[in-house]
């Protein structure tokens, strides 16, 4: 719920049944959960103490002390002469996704924000081989706005192998999946057109999709899967031009869309002339024997635009992504792509061409085995140190999506940093606010670091739930954990 002013009567309805032992603590806890989950929007003016006292039938002291707790825990602020307004610890959109501003960490700090693994064994040799091929290309200008032909063909072949026939000219190579998403947003969604995204979703993709000025609309993604009745209602009402979805190992939930839902979703978008933008960055990261990506969504939706990436399945430093588009949209997308840049480095394209035309499976098996071990280590540590946290072990992808017993993910991220762990709380993945009872925990670093990180998070969570926010606690443990 987002509004500039909240009436006392409405707030009394929202907090009905709050714990009254003692009443001021119960009221403050109920308000923090409502603010953290987004049911009371950021910057909303709360009722006056007098009005809320009358609406709740409590003493003025109860409301005064509850508002004081909100201010002390950074869920509200008092503005002289104006009243009390909601806020969140760290601000509306605290920059907790360091993927936006990459930086090294040290001094024992563990980064659980960036969901990207280190390079697999053997990648250096592929770079060396590609460098040996480079002289043959130095006589040309080096600009390939749609990608080097050999790489376009190699990427197209991966779609052929998945049962989605693709010609090389349908592929546009970009400097990463985010750049690919920005090209799609710039080309296909103008300022008066709607862009539908899921919540939760990857926040950088949302920003990229709005490059052309498209207006954002969200649809909640249930922890158990896609609610296609709700999607149908939203698409029918808002008539979006683009619909962004991640059907395979969704980021951050790890969900995989069923075959029946894919068919129904594709048919729905076709009937409403909405273009699916299908993010497939994680589709190669199936970790369990019974887990796999589903039928390519574009096999069911002929107008779908697919976005792929080498960064998650191979290495984040290999900054290459691509667009797989229907023939009718290739020229339009290519023109938009040239408006952003004229191509990606030749050496990186040679590296990826070698990887895709060689035997990539051993490398992927190694990546999956490492991620599987790390996932299981983190899940075990959570069961030991935070047994009341809930999560569904994903069959693939790179992160656990954890449901907290009470709202407080944003406060936890602030406190965890004092304990030497960087976290991305649920609101970072909620384009229009909320999800403060969730936190994403990537398992992309070594298992011992993950176990230590969970232990520190448990210490930070104890501070948050005890109400002792802001305690200057150093990283725990006798030895600093080194971050690769």
């Amino acid at each position: 719920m987002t509004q500039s002013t909240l009436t006392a009567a409405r707030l009394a309805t929202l907090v009905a049944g709050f714990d009254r032992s003692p009443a001021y603590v119960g009221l403050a806890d109920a308000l923090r959960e409502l603010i953290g989950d987004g049911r009371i929007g950021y910057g909303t003016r709360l009722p006056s103490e007098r009005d809320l006292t009358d609406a709740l039938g409590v003493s003025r002291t109860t409301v005064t002390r509850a508002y004081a707790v909100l201010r002390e825990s950074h869920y509200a602020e008092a503005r002289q002469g104006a009243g009390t307004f909601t806020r969140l610890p760290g601000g509306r959109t605290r920059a907790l996704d360091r993927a936006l501003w990459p930086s090294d960490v040290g001094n024992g700090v563990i980064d659980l924000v960036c969901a990207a693994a280190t390079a697999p064994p053997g990648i250096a040799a592929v770079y060396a081989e590609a460098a040996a091929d480079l002289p043959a290309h130095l006589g040309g200008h080096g600009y390939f706005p749609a990608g080097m032909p050999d790489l376009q063909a190699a990427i197209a072949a991966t779609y052929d192998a998945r049962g989605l026939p693709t010609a090389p000219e349908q592929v546009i190579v970009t400097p990463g999946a985010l750049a690919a998403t920005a090209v799609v947003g710039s080309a296909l969604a103008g300022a008066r057109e709607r862009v539908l995204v899921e919540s939760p979703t990857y926040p950088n993709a949302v920003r990229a999709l709005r490059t052309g000025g498209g207006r954002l609309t969200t649809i909640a993604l249930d922890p158990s899967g896609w609610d296609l009745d709700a999607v149908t209602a939203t698409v029918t009402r808002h008539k979006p031009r683009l619909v962004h979805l991640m059907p395979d190992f969704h980021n951050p939930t790890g969900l995989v869309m069923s075959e029946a839902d894919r068919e129904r979703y594709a048919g729905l978008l076709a009937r409403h002339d909405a273009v699916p933008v299908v993010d497939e960055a994680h589709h190669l990261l199936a970790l369990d024997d019974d887990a796999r990506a589903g039928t390519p969504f574009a096999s069911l939706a002929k107008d779908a635009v697919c976005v792929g990436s080498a960064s998650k399945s191979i290495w984040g430093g290999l900054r290459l992504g691509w667009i797989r588009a229907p023939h009718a949209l290739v020229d339009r997308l290519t023109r938009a792509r040239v408006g952003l840049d004229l191509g990606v480095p030749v050496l990186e394209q040679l590296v990826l061409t070698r990887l895709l035309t060689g035997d990539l499976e051993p490398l992927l098996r190694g990546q999956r085995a490492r991620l599987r071990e790390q996932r299981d280590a983190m899940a075990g540590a959570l069961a030991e140190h935070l047994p009341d946290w809930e999560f569904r072990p994903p069959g693939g992808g790179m992160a656990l999506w954890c449901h907290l017993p009470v709202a407080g993910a944003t406060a936890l991220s602030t406190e965890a940093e004092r304990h030497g762990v960087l976290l991305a709380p649920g609101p970072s993945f909620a384009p229009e606010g909320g999800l403060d009872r969730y936190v994403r925990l990537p398992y992309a670093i070594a298992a011992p670091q993950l176990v230590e990180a969970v232990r520190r998070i448990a210490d930070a969570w104890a501070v948050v739930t005890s109400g002792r926010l802001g305690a200057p606690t150093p990283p725990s443990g006798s030895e600093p954990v080194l971050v690769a």
Side-chain angles (χ1 to χ4, degrees):
M1 175 178 170
T2 302
Q3 56 187 47
S4 59
T5 300
L6 190 65
T7 67
R10 176 58 179 158
L11 184 52
T13 300
L14 289 172
V15 300
F18 69 88
D19 186 357
R20 299 191 178 222
S21 302
Y24 84 92
V25 173
L27 177 57
D29 287 345
L31 288 170
R32 279 192 292 203
E33 179 164 348
L34 289 164
I35 295 166
D37 273 354
R39 284 174 284 170
I40 299 177
Y42 185 96
T44 296
R45 184 182 183 277
L46 295 175
S48 70
E49 293 178 5
R50 178 188 301 172
D51 289 347
L52 190 57
T53 295
D54 292 342
L56 293 176
V58 297
S59 71
R60 179 75 173 268
T61 301
T62 293
V63 177
T64 299
R65 295 182 71 182
Y67 276 15
V69 170
L70 288 184
R71 293 192 296 270
E72 290 166 4
S73 57
H74 309 294
Y75 280 84
E77 63 180 354
R79 300 177 188 172
Q80 189 171 4
T84 300
F85 293 78
T86 62
R87 56 166 295 180
L88 289 170
R92 180 197 296 267
T93 54
R94 177 190 162 105
L96 287 162
D97 191 341
R98 266 74 172 192
L100 284 170
W101 298 279
S103 61
D104 292 330
V105 293
N107 300 320
V109 175
I110 303 174
D111 185 354
L112 291 188
V113 170
C114 185
T118 56
I123 194 71
V126 180
Y127 267 86
E129 293 166 358
D133 295 337
L134 185 60
H137 300 272
L138 297 179
H141 51 61
Y143 291 113
F144 296 94
M148 297 178 69
D150 286 351
L151 180 55
Q152 289 178 285
I155 293 170
T158 67
Y159 287 101
D160 290 338
R162 295 170 59 199
L164 177 59
T166 301
E169 59 268 21
Q170 291 179 259
V171 174
I172 302 169
V173 180
T174 64
L178 280 177
T181 305
V183 169
V184 175
S186 176
L188 302 182
R192 295 185 178 181
E193 294 177 300
R194 291 281 183 180
V195 176
L196 179 63
V197 300
E198 297 160 339
S199 182
T201 194
Y202 182 46
N204 292 358
V206 175
R207 294 178 179 92
L209 280 169
R210 298 180 70 181
T211 302
R215 294 183 296 166
L216 190 67
T217 297
T218 62
I219 179 68
L221 177 60
D222 190 85
S224 62
W226 285 260
D227 182 348
L228 291 189
D229 289 336
V231 173
T232 299
T234 301
V235 170
T236 302
R237 177 182 177 187
H238 292 287
K239 303 287 192 263
R241 169 61 175 157
L242 300 181
V243 176
H244 182 260
L245 63 155
M246 290 181 277
D248 297 308
F249 310 119
H250 177 274
N251 181 13
T253 67
L255 291 167
V256 176
M257 189 181 294
S258 71
E259 295 296 319
D261 281 354
R262 288 172 199 249
E263 292 182 9
R264 183 179 170 190
Y265 208 150
L268 166 69
L269 299 185
R271 289 193 300 275
H272 289 273
D273 295 322
V275 176
V277 182
V278 188
D279 186 331
E280 297 185 313
H282 288 178
H283 89 276
L284 289 174
L285 296 179
L287 305 185
D288 297 328
D289 292 340
D290 58 351
R292 65 179 183 86
T295 299
F297 198 90
S299 295
L300 307 169
K302 63 181 180 61
D303 294 329
V305 175
C306 302
V307 172
S309 172
S311 298
K312 297 299 185 183
S313 56
I314 300 176
W315 179 43
L318 185 57
R319 300 305 310 145
L320 286 178
W322 55 85
I323 300 167
R324 188 269 179 200
H327 287 282
L329 293 178
V330 169
D331 286 346
R332 188 172 175 181
L333 289 165
T334 302
R335 286 195 299 272
R337 191 257 189 280
V338 171
L340 297 176
D341 64 76
L342 295 177
V344 299
V346 170
L347 179 59
E348 287 199 330
Q349 295 192 69
L350 293 173
V351 170
L352 186 55
T353 301
R354 278 187 166 272
L355 288 167
L356 295 180
T357 57
D359 189 1
L360 184 60
E361 187 54 32
L363 182 150
L364 294 176
R365 277 200 303 269
Q367 287 287 69
R368 295 179 189 126
R370 180 167 52 160
L371 289 171
R372 183 165 52 247
E373 175 191 357
Q374 292 163 186
R375 177 201 62 187
D376 294 347
M378 174 171 272
L382 286 168
E384 178 181 355
H385 296 290
L386 290 162
D388 54 349
W389 284 26
E390 298 177 354
F391 61 90
R392 180 188 54 79
M398 305 187 80
L400 301 181
W401 184 237
C402 299
H403 182 256
L404 311 184
V406 295
T410 305
L412 173 62
S413 66
T414 301
E415 186 62 31
E417 192 164 344
R418 297 187 179 96
H419 288 71
V421 180
L422 304 182
L423 291 178
S428 294
F429 302 88
E432 294 184 336
L435 298 178
D436 201 40
R437 289 187 68 165
Y438 290 88
V439 64
R440 185 187 76 165
L441 298 181
Y443 41 80
I445 59 176
Q449 293 174 284
L450 294 173
V451 172
E452 171 63 16
V454 171
R455 193 171 70 81
R456 295 185 190 181
I457 293 168
D459 291 342
W461 184 240
V463 173
V464 171
T465 54
S466 70
R468 296 181 290 112
L469 292 174
T473 310
S476 56
S478 57
E479 295 289 336
V481 177
L482 300 179
V483 178

